[in-house]
Amino acid sequence: MKKTALSILLMGMSLVLTAQKTSYNIGILTDRTAPELSPLIDKLQSEIRAVVGEDAIINFPSESLLINNYDLNIAQQNYNRLLTNDTDLILAFGVVNNQIISKQTSHLKPTILFGAVNRDLNGIDLEKQTSGIENFTYLIESESFQEDLTKFKELTNFKKLGIAIEAPFIDILPIKETFDREIAVLDATYKLIPFNNVSDILSNLDEIDAVYIAGGFFLTEEENRRLAQTFIDKKLPSFTVNSPDDVELGIMATNRSSNDLDQFFRRISLTVEGFVNGQKLAEMPVFIDYTPRLTINFNTADAIGVPIKYSLIAETDFVGELKNARSKKQYDLLTLLDETIGSNLSLKSAQRDVALSEQDVKSAKSNYLPSLTASGSGTYIDPRLAEISNGQNPEFSTAGNVTLQQTLFSEAANANISIQKSLQKVQQENLNATELDLIFDASNAYFTTLILKANAQIQAQNLELTKRNLEIAQQNFDAGQSGKSDLLRFRSQMAQNTQAMVEAINQLEQGFIALNQLLNNPINTEIDVEDVKLDEGIFEKYNYDQVTNILDDPTLREPFTRFLIEEAKRNAPELRSLDHNLDVTKRNIKLNSEGRFLPTVALQGQYNRTFSRSGAGSIAPQGFALIDDNYNIGVNVSIPIFNQNLTNVNRQTAVIQKEQLEINRENIELNIAANVSNGILNMVNQVSNIELSKVSEETAKEALELTQAAYSEGSVNIVQLLDAQNNLLSAQLARANATYNYLINSLQLERFLGYYFLLNSEADNAEFRQRFLQFMNNRN
């Protein structure tokens, strides 16, 4: 019974309290509507209800939301309608509504005017703290065309600016006079672009080098995207008076803060709350002090070619991805590898080594080709000697001969041919090793560039986070919850984060330089690289889950490692190169052992002819004949018996070289086994890193959000907040790099194997898998 009576009493008290609440109908006047405006009006209404809370019942009758579409007559009718219906408070927004309401000598109903005009246009005494007008107040925003234009000039140094603003404003506001004054001080000219729709702007972009959107609050997202894309296509830098939302759609920059709208709605709500609680509108503060914040779309600025000064980074918010919009070519991994193999200078040089070794083989074989020599001579002999030569050596004579030499058998020549063939194979294997190294170097540079890009993006996000924490510290300082040391600490942190971001951007540029060098591109060529994901695109066939299962199971990992070691030894060009070098030493040993007793056999023939004889002794005496042509043929056989002991020395040298090569071969096999084993362990580490970094990032993010909230309430100190932020930074970097590091380690393991799955056919890869299965079956 007592509980029932208590419940009835509480319900009765609730009904009495509800009956005592005052109900307010609020009417809203706006110049225009758009699909994007409805959520904003809903947000404003919710904010007002939340701030007023239990003090009153707030109603927003749909029939009291009135739009004038920039028509002064309709605006007057809308205002009169709210004066005559049951509206208790009028919220008026826009330039046209300002023209109607500001002319009223008295206000029959409480009215709040806001968002009417830019500070440079309103002509209101900015020193005035309140309206001083009964039943009326207004909210003056701190935004300024002059500040925007000054910042835009600093960014682009424009010479002739296009200024787009709604056409109805031209007749209502002193637009031309204002911009005449403000552009003059910037040493520039301008072209006014009045518009009723987007086409009016797009058709008036000639003879300007930049665009300032001085209006456009009611433009839709699609219209802003269309404008932004056209500006980019025409290489026109753009700056808007509106929020960073438009910058995210592609406009290059704004000087508005992302929380301006929230601050604006909160101020309107507080004004309504004050009115509900009996505060006079005439005595309420009118000025809203926004903190300007330059926001730049990185991709738009890059596409247009507007350089971002490092001095602006600390005071600038960036939107967009770190993607090179001016890149002449965007590479995926396979395209990069194909072009690298075809263009790399180091590889071309190695290919020339193979070509030179082929020439050495040809030179060695030429020892068995005949040598044919022709010669001629003219001779003058002392006449006295010619007289007694019986016509054989006349005073004047001309002669010629042709000599033929042909090696029939030579063990040294045979050995040289065999050696040069082996050396040619050595150069080919060296080329294969160089190509394998180049493929890994290019892949490594590709993924390193992706890591650097992710790092730059995360450093930018971390800088934004520091700026947010600095704002919280400023709010705590203003509220007396923390000392100035927190502010100074975050300013120092912001300087450090800014430097980290500058270094990250420069490191990314160095990554592109390395890629251009590998591709034999001019170093300053603008390129970009496509992102990659496991089990997608070209890496879909990597069977990440299957590899993970093998690596995760020690009973499978051990035989898998042994199989890969065998494959690596079978494929290694380094081992094949050593084998061919061993063939060279063996042939040298054979040459300087039993080969030294083999004879060298050569054929030689010569044909001689005398063409002319004259002078003394040119006629043979009686009984002698002159023969003008003759020939001879001979066979030479030579056997080296003793060659200053050089043959023995050469044989001993070759034996030592053979032993050295065999030691080197064992060492390389050991290195291959170690490299493959370490590569497997590195992949195990990266698999673990991929999974754990996800958990780490999610945990660090949640911890930071909790720490930020606690710091804003004064529950934790700055050290804890910085620790939480640094933990998130480390976790984000680990998460972003985990996949890339896994792929780098995978390709490094493939380099050790001497076999790249990406560059081999599916049939070859299937054969590789079949060999593994066969290996496992033989093991069992």
Side-chain angles (χ1 to χ4, degrees):
M1 288 294 294
K2 289 181 179 180
K3 290 183 178 179
T4 303
L6 181 60
S7 299
I8 294 173
L9 177 61
L10 291 174
M11 291 177 62
M13 290 176 64
S14 176
L15 290 172
V16 170
L17 290 173
T18 302
Q20 290 176 347
K21 285 184 181 179
T22 304
S23 178
Y24 290 89
N25 293 329
I26 298 180
I28 299 177
L29 299 176
T30 181
D31 285 349
R32 191 178 170 186
T33 188
E36 286 78 5
L37 187 61
S38 295
L40 295 180
I41 292 177
D42 292 342
K43 183 176 181 180
L44 175 61
Q45 292 173 351
S46 299
E47 183 77 11
I48 291 173
R49 287 193 174 104
V51 171
V52 173
E54 298 297 323
D55 294 342
I57 299 174
I58 302 298
N59 301 313
F60 294 95
S62 58
E63 65 272 12
S64 294
L65 174 59
L66 304 177
I67 303 160
N68 61 53
N69 289 317
Y70 299 132
D71 189 308
L72 284 170
N73 292 327
I74 296 177
Q76 183 66 60
Q77 294 171 13
N78 291 342
Y79 179 61
N80 292 337
R81 181 176 174 183
L82 294 185
L83 291 179
T84 57
N85 67 11
D86 59 354
T87 296
D88 298 304
L89 177 65
I90 300 174
L91 302 181
F93 173 80
V95 173
V96 176
N97 285 318
N98 173 67
Q99 295 300 303
I100 298 299
I101 294 173
S102 62
K103 293 177 181 179
Q104 304 299 313
T105 56
S106 62
H107 297 271
L108 301 179
K109 287 188 176 182
T111 304
I112 302 173
L113 177 65
F114 59 92
V117 290
N118 186 280
R119 188 178 69 186
D120 298 358
L121 294 167
N122 58 33
I124 296 175
D125 183 4
L126 298 180
E127 299 299 325
K128 196 173 182 180
Q129 300 297 315
T130 64
S131 71
I133 301 173
E134 187 67 24
N135 259 356
F136 178 69
T137 190
Y138 50 84
L139 299 178
I140 303 173
E141 303 172 37
S142 60
E143 64 184 36
S144 164
F145 289 147
Q146 185 66 57
E147 292 177 0
D148 285 357
L149 295 173
T150 301
K151 186 66 70 173
F152 197 19
K153 179 72 172 181
E154 182 182 355
L155 285 173
T156 64
N157 194 30
F158 58 78
K159 297 300 180 183
K160 185 170 183 179
L161 180 66
I163 300 177
I165 194 166
E166 286 85 348
F169 294 177
I170 304 295
D171 299 327
I172 298 174
L173 301 171
I175 298 295
K176 186 176 185 306
E177 295 83 351
T178 300
F179 286 118
D180 282 347
R181 180 181 66 253
E182 297 186 345
I183 293 294
V185 301
L186 297 176
D187 189 27
T189 59
Y190 77 97
K191 172 184 177 181
L192 200 59
I193 306 176
F195 71 89
N196 291 303
N197 52 57
V198 171
S199 297
D200 293 337
I201 301 175
L202 298 179
S203 60
N204 284 281
L205 299 178
D206 298 331
E207 300 178 351
I208 60 174
D209 57 7
V211 181
Y212 177 55
I213 303 175
F217 179 81
F218 292 103
L219 292 176
T220 66
E221 285 190 5
E222 184 56 39
E223 288 172 330
N224 275 306
R225 283 196 183 92
R226 184 181 171 194
L227 282 175
Q229 189 58 53
T230 302
F231 297 155
I232 292 172
D233 293 341
K234 292 182 175 292
K235 303 297 182 183
L236 290 173
S238 54
F239 203 102
T240 180
V241 74
N242 298 309
S243 75
D245 291 342
D246 291 354
V247 177
E248 291 183 1
L249 297 174
I251 299 299
M252 191 187 82
T254 184
N255 206 28
R256 301 284 82 74
S257 173
S258 59
N259 61 0
D260 279 2
L261 188 61
D262 292 337
Q263 187 177 351
F264 186 56
F265 283 177
R266 175 54 62 96
R267 185 56 182 279
I268 296 171
S269 301
L270 291 173
T271 303
V272 173
E273 181 195 30
F275 167 76
V276 167
N277 290 324
Q279 188 177 355
K280 293 182 179 181
L281 292 180
E283 299 174 355
M284 292 187 182
V286 298
F287 197 73
I288 304 178
D289 189 12
Y290 293 144
T291 301
R293 190 74 189 173
L294 181 64
T295 301
I296 295 177
N297 188 307
F298 178 87
N299 301 121
T300 300
D302 188 46
I304 295 172
V306 175
I308 305 300
K309 298 179 181 178
Y310 289 145
S311 59
L312 293 175
I313 290 178
E315 58 187 53
T316 303
D317 296 331
F318 291 94
V319 300
E321 299 178 357
L322 287 176
K323 183 177 181 180
N324 192 349
R326 292 179 294 158
S327 61
K328 295 181 179 178
K329 187 163 186 178
Q330 183 161 327
Y331 289 92
D332 59 29
L333 181 57
L334 286 181
T335 303
L336 178 80
L337 294 179
D338 287 343
E339 292 198 14
T340 300
I341 293 172
S343 304
N344 184 262
L345 296 179
S346 297
L347 188 61
K348 287 183 176 181
S349 177
Q351 290 168 345
R352 297 303 182 273
D353 287 338
V354 174
L356 289 172
S357 66
E358 291 172 351
Q359 295 302 113
D360 290 338
V361 173
K362 293 178 181 178
S363 178
K365 289 181 177 180
S366 68
N367 287 326
Y368 274 111
L369 295 177
S371 172
L372 184 64
T373 305
S375 63
S377 64
T379 306
Y380 170 75
I381 295 178
D382 188 331
R384 293 171 300 169
L385 183 61
E387 284 287 349
I388 62 174
S389 67
N390 297 321
Q392 300 302 313
N393 295 306
E395 182 180 3
F396 299 99
S397 66
T398 59
N401 64 73
V402 176
T403 303
L404 173 68
Q405 293 178 329
Q406 171 70 59
T407 299
L408 300 178
F409 176 82
S410 171
E411 179 63 7
N414 292 340
N416 188 36
I417 292 172
S418 177
I419 289 171
Q420 293 304 324
K421 285 182 178 180
S422 295
L423 291 176
Q424 190 271 332
K425 293 176 182 178
V426 169
Q427 289 298 336
Q428 182 61 53
E429 294 303 333
N430 290 342
L431 173 62
N432 293 339
T434 300
E435 186 172 314
L436 289 172
D437 289 337
L438 179 63
I439 291 171
F440 174 70
D441 290 342
S443 302
N444 189 34
Y446 182 91
F447 290 120
T448 298
T449 303
L450 287 175
I451 289 174
L452 294 173
K453 182 185 285 191
N455 179 52
Q457 191 80 42
I458 291 171
Q459 292 294 349
Q461 294 170 359
N462 188 54
L463 179 59
E464 295 304 312
L465 182 57
T466 301
K467 294 172 185 175
R468 172 58 184 151
N469 288 338
L470 178 59
E471 291 177 3
I472 296 175
Q474 182 68 56
Q475 292 168 4
N476 285 358
F477 176 72
D478 294 341
Q481 294 180 356
S482 64
K484 192 174 182 179
S485 60
D486 283 13
L487 280 177
L488 297 177
R489 181 66 183 86
F490 270 119
R491 286 172 184 165
S492 173
Q493 184 71 25
M494 187 166 70
Q496 296 173 25
N497 294 156
T498 301
Q499 179 61 27
M501 181 178 175
V502 170
E503 291 177 358
I505 292 173
N506 288 333
Q507 288 170 355
L508 178 58
E509 290 299 320
Q510 290 173 336
F512 287 130
I513 289 173
L515 287 176
N516 278 326
Q517 185 177 9
L518 286 168
L519 290 162
N520 192 24
N521 288 336
I523 293 300
N524 60 349
T525 301
E526 297 287 349
I527 62 173
D528 206 350
V529 289
E530 293 182 2
D531 200 1
V532 297
K533 293 183 180 179
L534 290 175
D535 293 333
E536 290 186 17
I538 59 175
F539 293 101
E540 184 177 1
K541 298 177 182 177
Y542 256 49
N543 294 323
Y544 170 74
D545 292 335
Q546 182 179 356
V547 173
T548 301
N549 292 334
I550 293 176
L551 298 179
D552 190 50
D553 187 347
T555 61
L556 291 176
R557 188 168 67 234
E558 188 273 333
F560 182 61
T561 302
R562 287 195 289 110
F563 167 73
L564 293 183
I565 291 173
E566 288 188 9
E567 285 291 312
K569 291 179 180 179
R570 188 168 68 88
N571 296 329
E574 294 85 358
L575 290 179
R576 290 197 294 267
S577 176
L578 279 176
D579 289 340
H580 295 312
N581 273 314
L582 279 169
D583 291 340
V584 171
T585 58
K586 290 176 181 178
R587 191 65 181 86
N588 265 326
I589 292 172
K590 181 180 178 182
L591 172 65
N592 292 286
S593 297
E594 63 271 17
R596 63 180 175 174
F597 298 113
L598 296 176
T600 298
V601 181
L603 173 69
Q604 180 174 326
Q606 183 171 311
Y607 172 76
N608 304 298
R609 181 174 180 80
T610 300
F611 298 113
S612 66
R613 304 169 188 268
S614 61
S618 59
I619 300 175
Q622 188 71 30
F624 288 87
L626 297 177
I627 300 175
D628 290 332
D629 56 351
N630 63 84
Y631 65 89
N632 62 76
I633 299 175
V635 175
N636 294 327
V637 178
S638 64
I639 299 176
I641 297 175
F642 188 77
N643 186 24
Q644 300 175 338
N645 201 36
L646 288 179
T647 302
N648 287 331
V649 172
N650 291 338
R651 183 178 61 80
Q652 292 168 1
T653 300
V655 170
I656 294 172
Q657 289 174 338
K658 176 176 175 292
E659 293 172 349
Q660 183 185 42
L661 289 171
E662 288 172 343
I663 293 172
N664 289 342
R665 195 180 199 288
E666 291 179 9
N667 187 43
I668 289 178
E669 287 182 342
L670 191 62
N671 287 338
I672 288 174
N675 288 336
V676 171
S677 299
N678 288 329
I680 290 292
L681 294 176
N682 287 335
M683 288 189 65
V684 172
N685 292 338
Q686 295 308 322
V687 168
S688 175
N689 188 30
I690 288 175
E691 301 305 320
L692 295 180
S693 63
K694 296 178 183 177
V695 178
S696 177
E697 183 185 20
E698 292 169 359
T699 303
K701 186 175 182 180
E702 183 177 356
L704 177 62
E705 291 173 353
L706 294 173
T707 307
Q708 274 185 327
Y711 178 76
S712 64
E713 296 171 356
S715 302
V716 299
N717 59 39
I718 187 174
V719 175
Q720 291 169 290
L721 180 57
L722 287 173
D723 284 345
Q725 180 179 344
N726 290 332
N727 286 339
L728 177 60
L729 174 63
S730 299
Q732 286 177 323
L733 290 173
R735 171 73 183 278
N737 298 343
T739 297
Y740 304 135
N741 285 328
Y742 171 82
L743 291 172
I744 288 174
N745 280 274
S746 296
L747 288 165
Q748 185 178 49
L749 181 58
E750 291 180 18
R751 169 59 189 97
F752 297 149
L753 290 175
Y755 184 92
Y756 288 103
F757 291 94
L758 285 177
L759 302 180
N760 280 279
S761 66
E762 182 57 34
D764 290 337
N765 293 339
E767 184 179 345
F768 183 94
R769 290 191 290 269
Q770 186 61 39
R771 288 199 300 273
F772 174 62
L773 294 176
Q774 185 64 41
F775 179 87
M776 294 297 293
N777 291 333
N778 293 339
R779 173 175 172 268
N780 296 330

